[in-house]
Amino acid sequence: AQSVAQPEDQVNVAEGNPLTVKCTYSVSGNPYLFWYVQYPNRGLQFLLKYITGDNLVKGSYGFEAEFNKSQTSFHLKKPSALVSDSALYFCAVRDSTGANNLFFGTGTRLTVIP
Amino acid sequence: DGGITQSPKYLFRKEGQNVTLSCEQNLNHDAMYWYRQDPGQGLRLIYYSQIVNDFQKGDIAEGYSVSREKKESFPLTVTSAQKNPTAFYLCASSKSRQGYGYTFGSGTRLTVV
């Protein structure tokens, strides 16, 4: 079975501070991991993905994520948060063993406080 | 530019009415998906299709129907059997090969009046 957990419904961070949005996963084979961002009344936008290779993945808008196989985690990070980063963030996983569908977490609402 | 288009952006439905949400993509993606998003909740899969003329139920298919007559199009009909249809509906598409994520449309907000 495949699943994704985002343990925090809400994350608040001050502008200029580093931010972390947490994600853990469970898959049968090797994971393909994704982060998406959603602004109000919009669809989800792709931020970054991990397929293979370097555990630190860099994506759009200065975001990065670190793949940790031993902890089955894929936390999203940014060194310095902007107010415009305030949005809903979704982690997703795709199993390499055959299932083609993405499994999404429940989302984490990030609020950056000016 | 390639992309995925959902229409209309806002839709109002009267009680007992069927309505159809449009989803079109020109990305040459094989797979297409419909999700429902309620306030404060994540994405719930309604239906998906991996190839033309074939589709499968997701987690919350009751009260919905779909068709996949063309690769580019995957319309969703919200029937009168769906008792609580007010929600934000998202369509997505993807290549079927492993390692690809989804491309999402901008969504349709359906409200029952």
Side-chain angles (χ1 to χ4, degrees), chain A residues 2-113:
Chain A
Q2 303 164 75
S3 65
V4 173
Q6 293 182 243
E8 300 159 317
D9 291 336
Q10 173 83 40
V11 170
N12 297 325
V13 63
E15 186 177 21
N17 282 4
L19 69 87
T20 299
V21 182
K22 296 180 180 177
C23 171
T24 59
Y25 66 90
S26 174
V27 295
S28 303
N30 293 320
Y32 299 135
L33 293 154
F34 303 81
W35 275 102
Y36 289 84
V37 60
Q38 184 182 33
Y39 298 99
N41 293 312
R42 303 291 299 173
L44 277 66
Q45 298 177 27
F46 171 80
L47 275 180
L48 51 80
K49 68 178 180 181
Y50 170 83
I51 303 300
T52 186
D54 194 349
N55 289 343
L56 185 64
V57 179
K58 293 189 183 296
S60 306
Y61 313 120
F63 283 93
E64 58 189 28
E66 186 168 10
F67 172 65
N68 188 316
K69 188 173 184 178
S70 63
Q71 297 185 7
T72 62
S73 67
F74 190 56
H75 301 332
L76 181 70
K77 300 181 179 183
K78 188 173 183 181
S80 179
L82 300 172
V83 173
S84 58
D85 292 330
S86 298
L88 187 58
Y89 290 81
F90 289 96
C91 181
V93 65
R94 198 168 196 174
D95 194 328
S96 66
T97 60
N100 287 327
N101 294 349
L102 274 182
F103 290 82
F104 287 87
T106 52
T108 298
R109 184 162 300 282
L110 172 69
T111 301
V112 181
I113 303 163

Side-chain angles (χ1 to χ4, degrees), chain B residues 60-93:
Chain B
I60 56 164
E62 185 176 352
Y64 300 97
S65 66
V66 293
S67 63
R68 187 88 188 274
E69 298 176 359
K70 299 186 299 182
K71 188 175 185 178
E72 301 80 15
S73 180
F74 192 42
L76 173 74
T77 297
V78 184
T79 75
S80 56
Q82 171 49 240
K83 297 307 178 187
N84 185 23
T86 295
F88 191 54
Y89 290 87
L90 287 164
C91 181
S93 69

